[in-house]
Structures are given as structure tokens and as C-alpha cells.
Amino acid sequence: MLKVKNLSKKYEKILAVNKVSFEIDSGEIGVLIGPNGAGKSTTIKSIAGLLRFDGEILIDGKPNKSVEAKRIFGYVPESPALYEYLTVWDHLEFMARAYKLEAWEEAAEALLTRFEMDDKKKKIGKELSKGMQQKVSICCALLIKPHVVMFDEPMIGLDPKAIKELKEMFVELKNSGCAILISTHILDSITDIWDKVLIMNKGEIVFNNTRDALAASGESLEHIFFSKTGEEGEAQ
């Protein structure tokens, strides 16, 4: 499970995130939504261990920056960061060696096949479109069979078939007991699979509830989003 407790982050005099706390249980899909500048990116980068912060972030009970936590944590950033001169297969092998995986080749082949990238194994990073780079980034994150995995705007750049495949993967990961956190601006893309929603505004979690509780209340997520953020237009 993923546990965030009293997370705060300040950039000089600007408090970007203020005492944020939430949990994503094993076998649960959580979504993090909010307007631009709400603090989502800072929260995501803190969980990924890319920023210094105040508070506590635990991955299966282990501090998020510990080696033990990193071994079971997968992360797909908003913008893929591939090595320009490594091939698609090189990236997967790099992950396998870094995480000391054994007999990983079959799992890597299966992931590439699902994203229709099995014929792109010898292409180098700079030859790939953004959508293809995103697919490689997803494959790398899932190759380690994470206990907790976080996706930041995972649908951007993907074709409709890849989006369908990724949504099926979300459900498979959930059923395997993985805790999943998805930060997205496009709630409609995952409206049928989330279990818990976290609405963030002005550096704080202003709404934290489950799908079942929301359904029982009779309120729509769109209405709650607008009322909690003061935003107009599509939920972000």
C-alpha cells in the first residue's frame, strides 16, 4: 500500500503542498485530480522520491526513498525520459539489471507485444514517437512487477488501442494486489475503473472518498469537483 502522511513542500516562500495525507490500499486504484497549480505534480514527485519534503511517505511500510521501497515501486512520469541511443530492448534490459531481475525476458516480450512494440525492439529512443516512448516507459515500470505503481498523465500520446490495453492492465494490477495511483486531467478516460478519488486544490486534499461512498451520496464527481475547486469546465 501507499501511505502519505502530513506531506508538505515549500519552494522558497511558496507552500506548494500543505500537510497532505492519504492512503491507497493494496488492490485499489486511486485517482488524483485538481486544477493547474493545485500541487499534484509536487505530490507525485515527492512520492517518486525526486524532491525533498517534510512528512512521511511509505511504500508497503517502507520509507519511499529506501532501497527496499524502490525495489517494489513503479513510476511512469508524465514525460517519458528515454536514453536517445539505447534501443527499446536495451531499456528493458537496463531495468532488469538494475533491479536484478531473473528470467525477465519472457515478461518483457509479453509487455511489448501487448503495446504492439515487439517489432520496435531495435529502434533507439530518439527514433520513437512520444506515444511509443510512453509505451516503453510503461513497460519498464511494469517489468519489475511493482507492489505500488504511480502513473502521471499516462494516457497522453497513446493511441486508442494502447489506452484500452493500459486500462485492462490497471484492472489486472489491481486484481493482483497492487496499489495504483493515477494523476490525470482526463477523468473520463478512467471513469469506469477507479476506486478512490482524491481532489486537490491549493496544496491540500479537499476531497477524499471511495466510488461506493460517492455513489451512495447521489452526488456526481463533476459537481463535487467544481464545488471544491471553484473551477469551470471539464474536471481536471
Side-chain angles (χ1 to χ4, degrees), residues 128-141:
L128 302 175
S129 67
K130 183 175 181 181
M132 290 179 182
Q133 290 182 29
Q134 182 77 336
K135 291 177 182 180
V136 175
S137 184
I138 293 169
C139 290
C140 286

Side-chain angles (χ1 to χ4, degrees), residues 55-195:
E56 186 177 39
I57 299 174
L58 301 176
I59 294 172
D60 272 6
K62 306 169 184 66
N64 71 316
K65 293 188 178 181
S66 67
V67 173
E68 293 82 3
K70 291 179 182 296
R71 288 190 182 280
I72 57 174
F73 176 73
Y75 172 46
V76 179
E78 179 177 2
S79 299
L82 302 190
Y83 294 100
E84 288 189 352
Y85 295 102
L86 289 187
T87 66
V88 169
W89 190 255
D90 286 340
H91 280 87
L92 291 164
E93 184 172 356
F94 178 84
M95 292 295 293
R97 289 178 180 272
Y99 284 82
K100 298 180 180 179
L101 305 181
E102 297 181 0
W104 55 273
E105 292 87 353
E106 185 176 347
E109 291 276 10
L111 285 167
L112 291 177
T113 298
R114 290 189 69 168
F115 281 116
E116 298 183 323
M117 290 287 290
D118 47 319
D119 61 340
K120 307 289 192 304
K121 286 189 292 186
K122 294 183 179 181
K123 280 190 172 291
I124 59 175
K126 72 173 189 176
E127 295 177 338
L128 302 175
S129 67
K130 183 175 181 181
M132 290 179 182
Q133 290 182 29
Q134 182 77 336
K135 291 177 182 180
V136 175
S137 184
I138 293 169
C139 290
C140 286
L142 299 186
L143 182 63
I144 68 170
K145 295 181 170 57
H147 295 189
V148 177
V149 62
M150 185 168 63
F151 297 86
D152 191 3
E153 300 291 356
M155 311 296 188
I156 292 179
L158 295 183
D159 56 82
K161 188 176 187 304
I163 290 175
K164 179 176 181 294
E165 199 66 52
L166 181 58
K167 289 170 68 174
E168 290 177 1
M169 285 182 168
F170 288 153
V171 176
E172 291 169 14
L173 287 165
K174 168 186 171 177
N175 291 339
S176 73
C178 187
I180 305 152
L181 178 62
I182 306 167
S183 177
T184 182
H185 283 78
I186 313 171
L187 189 59
D188 285 348
S189 64
I190 53 169
T191 188
D192 53 340
I193 60 172
W194 63 269
D195 300 303

Side-chain angles (χ1 to χ4, degrees), residues 34-36 185 201 222-236:
N36 291 331
H185 283 78
N201 192 37
E222 183 179 52
H223 172 75
I224 290 174
F225 179 87
F226 294 153
S227 67
K228 295 294 184 181
T229 64
E231 291 290 299
E232 296 182 357
E234 183 181 0
Q236 298 185 50

